[in-house]
Amino acid sequence: MIVTIDGPAGAGKSSAARELARRLGFRFLDTGAMYRAVTLAARERGLNLADGETLAKLVAEIRVELVGDRVMLDGQDVSSAIRKFEITTAIHYAADNPAVRRQLVEWQRAAAARENVVTEGRDQGTVVFPDAECKIFLTADERERARRRHADLATRGETIPFDEVLANQRLRDHRDESRPVGALTKAADAIEVSTDGLTPEQVVDTLEKIVRSKQ
Ligand code: DC
């Protein structure tokens, strides 16, 4: 079974999807982490992210794996490094690059080929798994999402002004919704869930009910 969870940045997709996968005994795929790892790889090599061909070449050379909760880049654990604000603000180069998207979509489909998965991202229910049995579109109020992201960065030791986090999020929302390939949109057969006013546990309860109703 494939469960897709798409939605804007900061809607709470990752933590909800991770816990949902744990409850169901499914594999969890954090596809945003893959775009983050490509961005980190380019940065570490000092590459020009704006050069599409260079990024396309890079993605053909590196290996990105999701192993349990860890994100591995060429065998190295980069789970923390990919969450830095500096990576988040530069991620659009990888996310907008058609060759990068093609490769990552391939990796995502391969990961779901032999297992039940809960997969989380922007294009999972639309482009990557259009035939998924259960599709969820997770949303939340814009300021609430920025507040969560701001708090998340603070717990990782990065103190970024709230207004800067909000401004970056608006830009990212706009880019996520308007990119020519893999844009964020709600699949026609997706169920929309707003996380506003719900505790993390209530969110997972809601999602679990939806999945169980489709099993
Ligand atoms: O969910 P996240 O914040 O880790 O995602 C980081 C970026 O990666 C996001 O701004 C858009 C991009 N992304 C994407 O284009 N497609 C996906 N399936 C997942 C993420």
Side-chain angles (χ1 to χ4, degrees), residues 6-10 13-14 30-33 35-36 83 88 91-92 94-96 101 108 120-124 128 149 172-173 176 179 181-182:
D6 291 305
K13 296 187 302 294
S14 286
D30 176 353
T31 64
Y35 289 90
R36 288 173 179 276
R83 303 283 161 205
T88 305
I91 206 146
H92 58 99
D96 287 345
R101 297 204 77 91
Q108 291 155 19
E120 174 264 290
R122 305 292 187 286
D123 57 350
Q124 299 300 289
V128 188
R149 192 62 75 167
R172 218 142 64 92
D173 282 352
D176 284 352
R179 75 173 44 94
V181 222

Side-chain angles (χ1 to χ4, degrees), residues 58-72:
L58 171 74
V59 82
E61 289 166 2
I62 60 173
R63 192 162 43 93
V64 177
E65 293 157 299
L66 305 177
V67 183
D69 262 3
R70 315 312 294 170
V71 184
M72 312 299 286

Side-chain angles (χ1 to χ4, degrees), residues 2 11 15 22 29 31 37 45 49 58 64 70 84 88 91 93 95 104 146 150 153 158 176-177 186 189 192 196 214:
I2 295 175
S15 37
R22 197 194 60 74
L29 282 187
T31 64
R45 287 165 171 74
L49 282 150
L58 171 74
V64 177
R70 315 312 294 170
K84 290 206 181 305
T88 305
I91 206 146
Y93 295 109
L104 268 50
H150 183 250
L153 284 164
E158 285 198 89
D176 284 352
E177 286 159 9
K186 179 173 169 281
D189 51 349
E192 184 162 341
D196 288 338
K214 309 245 177 203

Side-chain angles (χ1 to χ4, degrees), residues 76-212:
Q76 249 205 319
D77 189 342
V78 293
S79 313
S80 294
I82 59 166
R83 303 283 161 205
K84 290 206 181 305
F85 194 58
E86 177 217 339
I87 298 295
T88 305
T89 54
I91 206 146
H92 58 99
Y93 295 109
D96 287 345
N97 186 299
V100 171
R101 297 204 77 91
R102 258 196 309 278
Q103 178 64 72
L104 268 50
V105 166
E106 202 177 291
W107 285 340
Q108 291 155 19
R109 288 184 179 148
R114 284 178 299 274
E115 281 180 276
N116 294 324
V117 296
V118 175
T119 181
E120 174 264 290
R122 305 292 187 286
D123 57 350
Q124 299 300 289
T126 50
V127 174
V128 188
F129 302 109
D131 300 325
E133 291 85 349
C134 181
K135 299 182 186 179
I136 290 158
F137 195 78
L138 209 63
T139 61
D141 168 72
E142 163 186 89
R143 290 189 77 82
E144 176 58 22
R145 294 192 280 122
R147 202 190 55 69
R148 287 183 198 151
R149 192 62 75 167
H150 183 250
D152 183 51
L153 284 164
T155 57
R156 294 172 193 279
E158 285 198 89
T159 32
I160 314 283
F162 175 80
D163 286 349
E164 198 179 328
V165 175
L166 180 63
N168 173 260
Q169 180 184 276
R170 282 191 178 141
L171 192 61
R172 218 142 64 92
D173 282 352
H174 175 69
R175 283 177 168 145
D176 284 352
E177 286 159 9
S178 59
R179 75 173 44 94
V181 222
L184 171 66
T185 91
K186 179 173 169 281
D189 51 349
I191 297 172
E192 184 162 341
V193 174
S194 163
T195 62
D196 288 338
L198 298 182
T199 65
E201 204 192 340
Q202 287 170 330
V203 173
V204 182
D205 288 347
T206 306
L207 302 188
E208 189 180 356
K209 263 190 215 124
I210 294 172
V211 177
R212 300 252 183 237

